[in-house]
Amino acid sequence: MLERGELANSWRYERWDSLRLLTPNWQSGLPGLCYEGVDPDGYMTSADVVDLLARYAEHVQAPVRTGTNVTSLRPTRDGYRVTTSNGEIQSRTVLIASGACNLPAVPALAAELPKEVEQLTAFGYRNASQIPEGGVLVVGASATGVQLAAELRQSGRPVILSVGEHVRLPRIYRGRDVLWWMDVSGVWDQRYDEVDDLPRARRLPSPQLIGSPERTTLDLNALTAMGVELVGRWAAIRDGRALFSGGLRNMFSLADLKMERLLDVFDEWARTDGADPDVSPAERFAPTEVPRSPRLEIDLRGGEVRSIIWATGFRPDYRWLDLPVVDPKGQLRHQGGAVASPGVYALGLPVLRRRKSTFIHGIEDDAREVIDHLSGYLADNSLTSIRPGTSL
Ligand SMILES: Cc1cc2nc3c(=O)[nH]c(=O)nc-3n(C[C@H](O)[C@H](O)[C@H](O)COP(=O)(O)OP(=O)(O)OC[C@H]3O[C@@H](n4cnc5c(N)ncnc54)[C@H](O)[C@@H]3O)c2cc1C
């Protein structure tokens, strides 16, 4: 196992200070290492996740070589040549587990911003003290954006949140964590070959959730109540003015509708399979409030907005891969974890084999199947019988 930084590097160095997992403690286990602490319904801090991964590495005696950056992976006659900052390795198979979120995804219009406005991504953000006093525009209203907007608003700054397509969820539904419902109803186990529109499912933004000790819901209504101003998707920049799309009403209705459909799935499960005496009756939530006259443009040279935080998502970094397996959008081409190069596999990517593939608790089922295939590949004497990209 080659790791360019330290063990659990992303959780040590690439998260903001207040971040906690969205997934409850009872869910965030790894194969053979369940949560046994006193707060199963709480949410781990980044430090807790580092601790979990360190304990797990010890538990399974993981042969991790830290400080070993892979700079190139290229095919040879009988496998792959891996070039690292600590030398070269020849290997018949390779498992890519380098993460789905190595870099911030920032829209091209960031390059056109007036110089007087400071820009930061979720990768660079640690806490509100980094941000100059004055107005902040947070771009993106998925898990990262809603959490940073709330934190900056609580620090006393005026905050504007630019909202695009988003996934609304309550933190607690019928007395249970919404992610409990995702689990028991089977939504999270839905396989990649059962999903209607797989490319879309793989691009789906993270849900508007926060893992706080109070277990609060952090949807757009909660942000409006805190005094965050909502504007539409940032569409363009012209003469130093940010131009936002209209149509908030439609976008909000769509997110409300999708949430209700998901709650219907949970209710149906409770009716037919559930019979859990602890769940309370079905409930529905107030529609997302549409601001009376959302602003369509903001002059970025006027001093109202001092800083912009890009919470527009993350992307993987495959610049080290010298194989033709990355699509024009920078995503790895694979079928259920079998990469389009024989003997190369991947884990930990969105909906790799199931909806839960990128979550800590999602790795076990995926890993078992991918490793089975990899073992079969190694055991096969005629390696050419496994075709590139064979489905698992
Ligand atoms: C903001 C945020 C919040 C999240 N919240 C949750 C949550 O609540 N619950 C949950 O289950 N999951 C959450 N996730 C997803 C979470 O990151 C994953 O569950 C888990 O960290 C994925 O582990 P991984 O090993 O696949 O990827 P990563 O944690 O990204 O680890 C990949 C590792 O590969 C190393 N690496 C990359 N390239 C190279 C190279 N060329 N050479 C050597 N090493 C390399 C990196 O340094 C890194 O340590 C969150 C992710 C983000 C970004």
Side-chain angles (χ1 to χ4, degrees), residues 2-4 9-11 15-16 19 21-23 68-70 97-99 101-102 314 320 348 358-360:
L2 309 179
E3 166 56 55
R4 63 182 166 190
N9 205 61
S10 66
W11 288 97
R15 308 285 186 257
W16 56 98
L19 178 72
L21 289 188
L22 304 176
T23 36
T68 305
N69 189 22
V70 177
S98 50
C101 304
N102 307 120
F314 303 94
W320 51 276
T358 30
F359 289 86
I360 291 169

Side-chain angles (χ1 to χ4, degrees), residues 15-299:
R15 308 285 186 257
W16 56 98
D17 296 349
S18 63
L19 178 72
R20 286 174 181 265
L21 289 188
L22 304 176
T23 36
N25 291 337
W26 60 264
Q27 200 162 47
S28 300
L30 286 162
L33 194 71
C34 300
Y35 179 80
E36 284 173 349
V38 293
D39 186 18
D41 292 324
Y43 308 92
M44 290 182 202
T45 62
S46 298
D48 296 334
V49 180
V50 172
D51 182 56
L52 169 74
L53 295 176
R55 279 188 294 121
Y56 192 70
E58 190 152 333
H59 180 69
V60 298
Q61 292 289 296
V64 188
R65 294 191 201 170
T66 53
T68 305
N69 189 22
V70 177
T71 53
S72 157
L73 175 72
R74 51 183 200 282
T76 58
R77 213 164 45 82
D78 52 355
Y80 294 90
R81 171 69 64 178
V82 186
T83 307
T84 81
S85 51
N86 287 330
E88 303 226 319
I89 298 169
Q90 176 68 26
S91 181
R92 281 178 64 195
T93 60
V94 175
L95 185 100
I96 299 174
S98 50
C101 304
N102 307 120
L103 296 168
V106 177
L109 54 77
E112 297 170 50
L113 287 187
K115 276 196 270 318
E116 53 270 34
V117 179
E118 281 198 25
Q119 299 187 54
L120 208 63
T121 70
F123 255 59
Y125 179 85
R126 288 292 165 270
N127 55 57
S129 70
Q130 266 173 298
I131 309 295
E133 285 305 323
V136 189
L137 170 59
V138 177
V139 189
S142 295
T144 303
V146 296
Q147 291 183 31
L148 300 192
E151 177 161 298
L152 289 161
R153 182 71 200 115
Q154 278 154 358
S155 76
R157 290 168 174 77
V159 175
I160 304 163
L161 178 64
S162 166
V163 184
E165 185 193 358
H166 57 278
V167 178
R168 181 184 178 196
L169 282 184
R171 179 74 265 183
I172 306 293
Y173 182 61
R174 300 181 64 176
R176 292 293 197 130
D177 197 294
V178 75
L179 301 184
W180 178 85
W181 288 98
M182 293 282 282
D183 198 36
V184 294
S185 64
V187 172
W188 243 340
D189 279 325
Q190 196 183 11
R191 285 173 52 98
Y192 73 111
D193 43 11
E194 293 165 2
V195 170
D196 281 342
D197 184 348
L198 184 59
R200 191 178 148 66
R202 287 183 168 159
R203 283 197 313 267
L204 208 63
S206 57
Q208 291 173 334
L209 283 178
I210 183 169
S212 66
E214 302 77 25
R215 306 177 80 202
T216 43
T217 291
L218 189 60
D219 57 11
L220 297 179
N221 284 349
L223 288 168
T224 300
M226 290 167 71
V228 171
E229 177 185 347
L230 306 181
V231 295
R233 190 169 186 281
W234 190 342
I237 179 158
R238 200 167 301 141
D239 303 328
R241 305 175 83 80
L243 310 183
F244 304 103
S245 308
L248 280 185
R249 185 173 301 281
N250 286 345
M251 192 165 50
F252 290 2
S253 313
L254 190 65
D256 290 351
L257 183 74
K258 286 187 179 163
M259 175 180 72
E260 291 195 0
R261 281 203 201 131
L262 185 65
L263 301 182
D264 288 343
V265 172
F266 298 162
D267 292 342
E268 180 60 17
W269 173 84
R271 206 175 53 76
T272 53
D273 303 90
D276 186 322
D278 289 343
V279 301
S280 40
E283 51 187 321
R284 286 297 175 264
F285 300 90
T288 306
E289 239 173 86
V290 185
R292 207 162 289 151
S293 42
R295 284 198 275 176
L296 293 175
E297 57 175 79
I298 293 175
D299 185 355

